[in-house]
């Protein structure tokens, strides 16, 4: 990178950071990327949209920036990033193959020259012919050394590129397991994690519990206050879940307004305590509309808690936790129902 390019990139970075600070937007990587892209001016539709927002006087809130990220940033397209890594890997492999082919042809030519020289020496050559032969072999040896050196350079570059590609693939893999809105594990990650947790519980005999969380009256809330505020609610619940688990526990967005929490090495009594802590923490938070600071009230959620049994599969454990959730919904919402409590409710 030239000094001019460095200064230009730095000016874009400074402009992005100033905009983040001025609008009081958290400096999350994807927010920074969006505003850096805006500063460069390379994404014409993005710049048109943001300039329109600035002209209208609408505040650049976190919700607005989040929506712009989803709409305009290509980094959200995991499939595209995987394709890009694949193409780079293919180009590097082709480059190495070309270098290997060249080295093999040079080696074959060199071997042929050595055989010819060996035959000439066996028949006897004059001093002048010997000098000429020596010069030719020296020239071909130098060419061979140069070809081998080029091959070594290509292999070294490939080693570095492959290491970088492996890091990129791992980053893409991690991102593919994260829900883009809430920044916790997504359904794909949950499906993989619950299967692994069940296998571990079977192997070790340790307890395992599952909590299903569903936001109460979310559709009504979403329709009343709008999708951006609904997204804020989803992020709030996700953050609360993540703040109340630890170690090997996993919080995931299962779909829509439903969340899952996997609690390895936790029995049903401990899982109920965790669920109650989360329920109280969600209910304790008062929701504000960021654009106006209008108080929108409090949100609540219902919880179903089930403990793994030796005969369980992932599906049967989810099904039993889901039954507990529906019992919580049907008995007034904003409560935790475990399997033990469900049995009491059914008996009553």
């Amino acid at each position: 990178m030239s000094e001019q390019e460095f200064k230009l990139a730095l000016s874009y970075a400074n402009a992005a950071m100033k905009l983040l600070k001025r609008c009081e937007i958290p400096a999350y990587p994807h927010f920074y990327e969006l505003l850096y892209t805006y500063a460069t001016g390379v994404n014409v539709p993005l710049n048109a949209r943001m300039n329109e927002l600035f002209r209208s006087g609408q505040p650049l809130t976190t919700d607005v920036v989040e929506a712009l990220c989803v709409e305009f940033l290509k980094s959200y397209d995991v499939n595209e990033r995987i394709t890009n890594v694949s193409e780079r890997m293919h180009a590097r492999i082709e480059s190495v193959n070309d270098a290997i082919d060249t080295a093999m042809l040079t080696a074959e030519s060199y071997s042929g020259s050595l055989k010819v020289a060996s035959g000439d020496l066996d028949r006897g050559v004059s001093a002048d012919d010997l000098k000429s032969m020596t010069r030719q072999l020296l020239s071909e040896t130098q060419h061979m050394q140069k070809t081998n050196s080029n091959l070594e350079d290509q292999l070294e570059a490939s080693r570095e590129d492959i290491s970088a590609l492996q890091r990129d693939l791992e980053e893409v893999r991690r991102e593919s397991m994260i829900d883009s809105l809430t920044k916790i594990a997504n359904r794909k990650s949950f499906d993989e994690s619950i299967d692994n947790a069940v296998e571990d519980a079977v192997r070790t005999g340790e307890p395992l519990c599952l909590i299903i969380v569903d936001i109460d009256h979310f559709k009504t809330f979403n329709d009343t206050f709008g999708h951006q505020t609904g997204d804020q609610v989803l992020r709030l619940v996700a953050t609360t879940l993540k703040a109340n688990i630890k170690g090997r526990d996993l919080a995931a967005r299962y779909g829509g307004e439903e969340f899952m929490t996997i609690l390895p090495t936790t029995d049903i009594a401990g899982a109920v305590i965790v669920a109650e802590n989360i329920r109280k923490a969600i209910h304790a938070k008062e929701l504000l509309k960021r654009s106006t600071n209008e108080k929108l009230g409090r949100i609540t959620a219902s919880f179903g808690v089930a403990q793994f049994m030796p005969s369980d599969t992932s599906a049967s454990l989810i099904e039993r936790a889901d039954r507990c959730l529906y019992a919580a919904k049907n008995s007034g919402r904003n409560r935790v129902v475990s399997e033990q409590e469900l049995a009491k409710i059914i008996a009553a």
Side-chain angles (χ1 to χ4, degrees), residues 4-18 36 39:
Q4 183 178 0
E5 289 173 327
F6 173 79
K7 289 181 178 178
L8 187 61
L10 186 60
S11 70
Y12 294 149
N14 288 334
M17 291 304 297
K18 285 180 182 177
Y36 182 95

Side-chain angles (χ1 to χ4, degrees), residues 79-337:
N79 289 332
E80 183 176 336
R81 295 185 66 183
I82 291 174
T83 299
N84 176 263
V85 171
S86 176
E87 288 174 351
R88 287 161 56 198
M89 182 74 78
H90 178 74
R92 173 48 61 191
I93 291 172
E94 286 291 316
S95 176
V96 172
N97 284 340
D98 289 343
I100 291 173
D101 289 343
T102 300
M104 289 178 65
L105 289 173
T106 302
E108 289 176 3
S109 174
Y110 187 64
S111 177
S113 297
L114 289 177
K115 288 181 181 178
V116 171
S118 178
D120 290 344
L121 288 173
D122 289 341
R123 289 191 299 272
V125 293
S126 65
D128 289 340
D129 288 340
L130 182 60
K131 288 180 181 180
S132 176
M133 184 187 304
T134 302
R135 284 195 297 271
Q136 181 181 355
L137 288 176
L138 179 60
S139 175
E140 293 194 20
T141 299
Q142 290 171 339
H143 178 63
M144 181 74 174
Q145 289 174 332
K146 184 177 179 180
T147 302
N148 286 341
S149 176
N150 180 57
L151 177 59
E152 289 176 3
D153 291 342
Q154 289 284 358
L155 290 174
E156 177 61 24
S158 296
R159 185 185 68 80
E160 294 174 357
D161 280 354
I162 288 172
S163 295
L165 288 169
Q166 286 175 330
R167 290 193 296 271
D168 288 347
L169 280 173
E170 178 59 25
E171 181 181 349
V172 170
R173 190 196 73 81
R174 285 196 302 269
E175 290 184 10
S176 73
M177 307 292 270
I178 298 297
D179 179 66
S180 60
L181 175 65
T182 61
K183 306 306 176 188
I184 62 173
N186 59 16
R187 173 66 178 272
K188 178 182 177 182
S189 179
F190 170 79
D191 288 343
E192 181 179 304
S193 298
I194 190 65
D195 287 342
N196 291 337
V198 166
E199 289 177 7
D200 289 344
V202 170
R203 186 181 69 256
T204 64
E206 293 283 350
L208 166 67
C209 281
L210 178 67
I211 301 173
I212 298 185
V213 186
D214 189 86
I215 301 172
D216 295 331
H217 305 296
F218 180 75
K219 185 179 185 305
T220 301
F221 191 96
N222 217 24
D223 293 342
T224 302
F225 298 108
H227 292 289
Q228 288 190 354
T229 303
D231 289 347
Q232 183 183 342
V233 171
L234 293 172
R235 284 192 291 268
L236 182 149
V237 171
T239 302
T240 306
L241 287 174
K242 197 169 182 180
N244 282 274
I245 61 175
K246 58 184 179 180
R248 294 164 53 199
D249 301 343
L250 177 84
R253 186 182 178 192
Y254 193 65
E257 67 272 25
E258 199 166 66
F259 296 81
M260 296 283 194
T261 301
I262 303 173
L263 303 175
T265 66
T266 303
D267 61 19
I268 193 73
V272 168
I273 292 173
V274 172
E276 277 291 349
N277 289 340
I278 295 170
R279 185 192 65 79
K280 291 174 183 177
I282 291 173
H283 190 233
K285 292 181 170 67
E286 188 168 32
L287 195 64
L288 296 176
K289 192 171 184 178
R290 285 177 176 166
S291 58
T292 63
N293 282 332
E294 175 189 358
K295 292 184 179 181
L296 305 181
R298 301 181 189 276
I299 56 173
T300 64
S302 299
F303 298 73
V305 186
Q307 181 167 335
F308 173 78
M309 297 188 300
S311 59
D312 268 330
T313 62
S314 299
S316 64
L317 178 59
I318 293 170
E319 182 181 353
R320 287 191 291 106
D322 204 37
R323 286 202 296 267
C324 294
L325 172 66
Y326 276 98
K329 291 282 189 183
N330 293 331
S331 56
R333 304 178 188 269
N334 188 26
R335 62 176 299 181
V336 175
V337 172

